[in-house]
């Protein structure tokens, strides 16, 4: 087994992903990984070089992206763009002042993540619930500013915080390096 550092998600989180067969993927290779959120596409940042502990993984590296995976990723990107515009229109139609930053649709089509600045009110929640039905996905919210201000949880950036942000170590936590807590 070997771990690669891989960037995943709209916010570019970096984590260690275990390659069970020991396959080594080169830097820049697009891959399919299983995270706590589901199936996602990612980009290899580093090949295994011995510093990673194979027992400390944030998920599993399943395979290099195939032509079919790339087509699916393009479809999810189009759906993401559609969901972004649909959400902005719903917010405007209802006179809601929430600031939508981004939308992310996972490769498996199951998770639809809306990233907002500030608080997500019940009215905003109702809008995104409508979109979840339309896109047959589970809606998740991320308050972008809270994450930057607070980090992944108490003690973010320290060994004591290990695992709070969904990562196995703060070495792989993009928020920890940004907030330096």
């Amino acid at each position: 087994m070997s771990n690669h550092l891989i960037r995943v998600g709209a916010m570019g989180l970096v984590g260690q992903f275990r390659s069970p067969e020991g396959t080594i993927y080169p830097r820049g290779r697009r891959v399919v990984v299983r995270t706590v959120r589901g199936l996602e596409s990612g980009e290899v940042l580093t090949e295994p070089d011995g510093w990673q502990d194979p027992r400390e993984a944030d998920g599993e590296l399943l395979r290099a992206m195939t032509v079919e995976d790339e087509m699916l990723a393009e479809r999810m990107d189009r759906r993401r763009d559609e969901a972004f515009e649909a959400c902005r229109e719903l917010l405007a139609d209802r006179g809601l002042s929430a600031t939508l930053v981004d939308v992310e649709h996972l490769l498996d089509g199951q998770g639809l993540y809306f990233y907002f600045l500030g608080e997500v009110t019940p009215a905003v929640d109702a809008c995104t619930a409508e979109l979840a039905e339309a896109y047959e996905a589970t809606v998740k919210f991320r308050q972008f500013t809270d994450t930057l201000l607070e980090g992944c949880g108490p003690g973010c950036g320290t060994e004591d915080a290990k695992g709070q942000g969904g990562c196995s170590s703060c070495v792989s936590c993009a928020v920890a390096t940004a907030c330096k807590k």
Side-chain angles (χ1 to χ4, degrees):
M1 282 195 282
S2 56
N3 286 359
H4 292 69
L5 280 182
I6 298 177
R7 180 185 309 128
V8 295
M11 296 298 129
L13 298 176
V14 175
Q16 291 185 54
F17 290 84
R18 181 180 22 256
S19 176
E21 293 92 38
T23 305
I24 296 182
Y25 297 92
R27 177 176 167 76
R29 171 71 74 144
R30 288 183 36 92
V31 293
V32 176
V33 295
R34 182 178 313 282
T35 68
V36 294
R37 301 188 317 164
L39 287 184
E40 301 189 57
S41 61
E43 178 186 0
V44 175
L45 298 177
T46 64
E47 300 173 11
D49 61 7
W51 67 265
Q52 301 98 334
D53 182 349
R55 298 168 296 182
E56 299 280 332
D58 298 305
E60 192 171 346
L61 195 168
L62 301 176
R63 63 181 177 275
M65 295 267 294
T66 63
V67 172
E68 292 82 7
D69 292 328
E70 292 290 354
M71 289 172 39
L72 181 59
E74 284 180 32
R75 181 172 168 230
M76 291 299 111
D77 284 347
R78 284 192 305 274
R79 288 181 63 129
R80 178 198 73 210
D81 293 341
E82 291 169 10
F84 184 90
E85 288 307 315
C87 187
R88 282 184 44 182
E89 287 175 18
L90 272 176
L91 293 171
D93 290 348
R94 295 182 184 173
L96 300 173
S97 62
T99 303
L100 179 64
V101 176
D102 203 355
V103 174
E104 179 179 18
H105 206 156
L106 299 188
L107 189 63
D108 61 13
Q110 299 300 307
L112 186 60
Y113 288 79
F114 291 88
Y115 295 88
F116 290 96
L117 288 176
E119 183 180 347
V120 177
T121 64
V124 171
D125 184 23
C127 287
T128 55
E130 286 179 38
L131 294 170
E133 272 187 45
Y135 288 92
E136 299 176 355
T138 302
V139 167
K140 305 286 183 177
F141 299 106
R142 293 290 184 254
Q143 291 176 305
F144 186 65
T145 50
D146 289 351
T147 301
L148 289 180
L149 292 173
E150 299 171 11
C152 62
C156 180
T158 67
E159 193 57 29
D160 294 337
K162 183 177 177 175
Q164 292 182 118
C167 53
S168 64
S169 75
C170 278
V171 170
S172 64
C173 179
V175 174
T177 57
C179 70
K180 302 204 183 333
K181 288 189 176 186

